[in-house]
Amino acid sequence: MNDFISIKQRLFPNNYELIDGTNEVFELNIALWEFENLSELELIKRSGFFKQINGIDTAHYRLCNLQRIDEIYKNSTFRTRLFFTNGKYSTGYATHNLFPYRGKFHPQMIKGLLNIIDIKENEIVLDPMAGSGTLMVEANLLNINAIGVDLSPFCQLMSRVKTHSLSININRLDNLYKKQFEIFNILNQKKIPHNYLNEINIEDYIYYEIFLLAYLDAMGFARRSKKNIDNLYPIVIERYYRTIRNFNLARNDLELNIGTSKVLLGNALNLDIPDNSVDGVITSPPYSFAIDYIDNDQPQLEYLNYDISSLKIDMIGLRGKGINEKLKLYFNDVQESIKEMARVTKKDRRIVIIIGSNTIQTRGVELQPEIIRIAKIENLTLEMEIKKPIKGLRSSMKEESILIFKNNKE
Ligand SMILES: C[S@@+](CC[C@H](N)C(=O)[O-])C[C@H]1O[C@@H](n2cnc3c(N)ncnc32)[C@H](O)[C@@H]1O
């Protein structure tokens, strides 16, 4: 009989230590892939799942520790503090926690996927449905350049703040933070919506956007909890300030080179990006009609003076009446977007689509097989599928699929 040896010990040698909490099969799968394909030095520099290699701490592990997550959440409720300290290596690091966007990627997994699809420093990766910009942040942390496209101007704002905040001047932020109440009063009078851009020095604008996003975060929080924004704003802006400040100090300590991000307002079905210009895609389209992203962000979009109904026209998953028509239009839109991804991506590079099916809403229709079928028509070959469980009692979806395709175009 064999000795009782844990699966981790069977997969990895003793001198390769995983980050605490790496237990799920999908995490071990990505970690194994990193182990088998990256050199020791590369693992230390860019792995998302290893803690130590031959006694040397990895950059991911050091960054998460240097950011002092406990300090950022010191004024939060016990539950929130616990959530972020427990998830410090998986979801709570860099600028990922700046806005609680529903349906965002698991950041540590994205780091692993960037390794799996072999995107190197200074190359370009695209998310044509970028949401809150998780891919862009992860790419930039590895000195990879990123392009993010989304139809929602609020998503554009989130992505800009999260990526710009990775490399800002802390002294300038400190000075503005001292004026937080002055800025709050301006924001409370709706004086800095997007169309005041021209009136402000463009360099200062990226700092004002941090305060604007914190204001919109506090506004959503106030509505949900029926509390007063005047009381919530100082708590939220302090958290934003500490997150960005701590990250930038850690970044300096680690001498990290940060990639650049281009955030575009646009339609995934018609990208304003040249043919064969990106080195890979990682994206997650709406999961059929599981979430109405525009309704979800309605208060923030209205504050920013956008017309809700015109924003909905091109949203994938929101068109049509009745399940059959909705699904037909959904798959047509997904096919058009896959065609665009294949067009802009270089031959033989990878396109990753992350998708889950809410079969209660779709009356039993699974999205994954149809997306694999559509992708094949567009000359994408499925190379690997990784299943990721979705936790949480309230979720009607039990798992997501990470579909990794190769772009086989002529
Ligand atoms: C599942 S979310 C992406 C979340 C993202 N991965 C993140 O980490 O935050 C899907 C996104 O697709 C966007 N979207 C829907 N239809 C679109 C279209 N036609 N063009 C571009 N973006 C679209 C929505 O606004 C939403 O932000």
Side-chain angles (χ1 to χ4, degrees):
M1 194 169 125
N2 291 333
D3 290 345
F4 291 112
I5 300 174
S6 78
I7 187 160
K8 289 187 197 172
Q9 284 171 308
R10 281 194 238 162
L11 291 175
F12 308 107
N14 282 345
N15 49 341
Y16 286 68
E17 199 180 332
L18 290 172
I19 296 251
D20 310 334
T22 309
N23 296 316
E24 300 277 352
V25 174
F26 84 93
E27 294 174 318
L28 294 173
N29 205 335
I30 299 176
L32 183 62
W33 203 98
E34 286 188 338
F35 168 69
E36 287 176 340
N37 292 280
L38 300 184
S39 68
E40 280 185 10
L41 203 66
E42 283 171 328
L43 280 172
I44 291 167
K45 251 184 117 176
R46 50 183 294 166
S47 155
F49 288 88
F50 285 91
K51 175 178 179 175
Q52 278 190 347
I53 312 291
N54 289 327
I56 301 173
D57 288 348
T58 61
H60 183 75
Y61 182 67
R62 287 180 66 200
L63 175 70
C64 297
N65 288 340
L66 280 169
Q67 265 195 267
R68 295 183 301 177
I69 309 278
D70 310 16
E71 186 201 283
I72 296 171
Y73 286 95
K74 71 177 182 352
N75 291 332
S76 301
T77 61
F78 175 70
R79 257 180 81 178
T80 312
R81 205 165 55 235
L82 199 66
F83 177 78
F84 280 102
T85 43
N86 283 350
K88 129 166 134 176
Y89 304 110
S90 58
T91 52
Y93 60 93
T95 52
H96 290 300
N97 61 11
L98 290 191
F99 191 95
Y101 190 59
R102 257 184 93 188
K104 84 178 178 69
F105 284 143
H106 178 289
Q108 187 189 17
M109 173 187 89
I110 296 298
K111 186 168 280 164
L113 289 175
L114 284 165
N115 285 327
I116 290 186
I117 68 168
D118 199 21
I119 308 283
K120 303 264 188 260
E121 289 193 41
N122 301 312
E123 289 192 331
I124 303 174
V125 71
L126 163 73
D127 185 347
M129 291 167 259
S132 59
T134 316
L135 172 70
M136 284 182 270
V137 172
E138 277 309 308
N140 290 173
L141 291 176
L142 297 177
N143 198 18
I144 293 165
N145 300 324
I147 306 175
V149 179
D150 204 288
L151 270 179
S152 161
F154 183 50
C155 287
Q156 208 193 5
L157 171 70
M158 281 187 266
S159 298
R160 269 203 309 259
V161 171
K162 290 185 183 204
T163 53
H164 283 155
S165 299
L166 295 175
S167 44
I168 60 168
N169 178 330
I170 303 179
N171 294 336
R172 208 157 175 162
L173 181 68
D174 285 348
N175 287 337
L176 282 170
Y177 185 65
K178 285 182 200 136
K179 297 188 199 161
Q180 58 163 293
F181 291 108
E182 213 176 295
I183 300 174
F184 173 76
N185 287 332
I186 298 172
L187 291 167
N188 223 11
Q189 292 162 37
K190 274 187 144 196
K191 283 225 178 114
I192 314 187
H194 61 289
N195 48 357
Y196 284 79
L197 183 67
N198 297 337
E199 291 178 23
I200 301 166
N201 171 346
I202 188 73
E203 272 191 42
D204 273 344
Y205 194 75
I206 67 169
Y207 294 85
Y208 278 109
E209 283 197 328
I210 296 169
F211 291 82
L212 175 60
L213 187 64
Y215 178 84
L216 294 174
D217 195 344
M219 191 174 93
F221 191 9
R223 283 184 189 220
R224 288 193 302 275
S225 61
K226 301 205 167 45
K227 288 187 182 153
N228 195 328
I229 191 167
D230 298 40
N231 300 333
L232 290 176
Y233 181 76
I235 300 172
V236 175
I237 191 63
E238 188 193 356
R239 178 165 63 77
Y240 275 48
Y241 168 70
R242 286 192 188 281
T243 298
I244 297 170
R245 196 169 198 285
N246 288 4
F247 171 79
N248 278 277
L249 292 172
R251 187 204 81 200
N252 290 344
D253 269 14
L254 288 170
E255 297 178 358
L256 285 185
N257 291 321
I258 302 290
T260 58
S261 273
K262 215 194 273 179
V263 184
L264 306 173
L265 194 61
N267 191 341
L269 279 59
N270 184 13
L271 295 170
D272 188 11
I273 298 174
D275 297 357
N276 309 314
S277 59
V278 308
D279 300 286
V281 172
I282 301 181
T283 197
S284 165
Y287 295 0
S288 68
F289 19 92
I291 300 178
D292 183 330
Y293 289 96
I294 296 297
D295 276 356
N296 243 4
D297 300 332
Q298 185 166 348
Q300 287 86 2
L301 286 162
E302 280 174 353
Y303 173 95
L304 296 168
N305 282 340
Y306 288 103
D307 175 34
I308 301 297
S309 49
S310 60
L311 284 176
K312 286 193 176 194
I313 296 171
D314 292 322
M315 275 277 162
I316 296 181
L318 297 189
R319 299 199 295 126
K321 289 201 179 67
I323 299 223
N324 291 342
E325 192 193 10
K326 276 187 162 191
L327 276 173
K328 187 166 176 277
L329 292 171
Y330 173 79
F331 287 125
N332 283 348
D333 285 352
V334 169
Q335 179 156 8
E336 283 308 304
S337 72
I338 291 179
K339 198 179 272 177
E340 276 296 80
M341 292 179 216
R343 176 183 68 78
V344 302
T345 306
K346 293 175 187 165
K347 182 172 163 49
D348 294 337
R349 301 303 302 257
R350 268 71 187 196
I351 294 176
V352 182
I353 300 179
I354 299 169
I355 191 81
S357 309
N358 184 335
T359 43
I360 295 174
Q361 281 184 341
T362 62
R363 300 235 176 97
V365 176
E366 296 272 356
L367 307 181
Q368 294 89 316
E370 186 59 15
I371 289 183
I372 294 170
R373 193 187 69 79
I374 291 171
K376 204 167 171 191
I377 300 173
E378 302 305 331
N379 284 326
L380 303 190
T381 320
L382 184 67
E383 288 190 310
M384 177 151 71
E385 175 171 3
I386 303 173
K387 298 276 189 196
K388 173 182 179 294
I390 300 179
K391 291 188 180 158
L393 283 177
R394 280 190 300 157
S395 177
S396 47
M397 262 179 275
K398 292 295 163 234
E399 64 179 16
E400 291 164 304
S401 285
I402 304 164
L403 306 172
I404 304 180
F405 298 98
K406 185 169 176 183
N407 191 7
N408 276 329
K409 66 184 177 192
E410 293 309 310

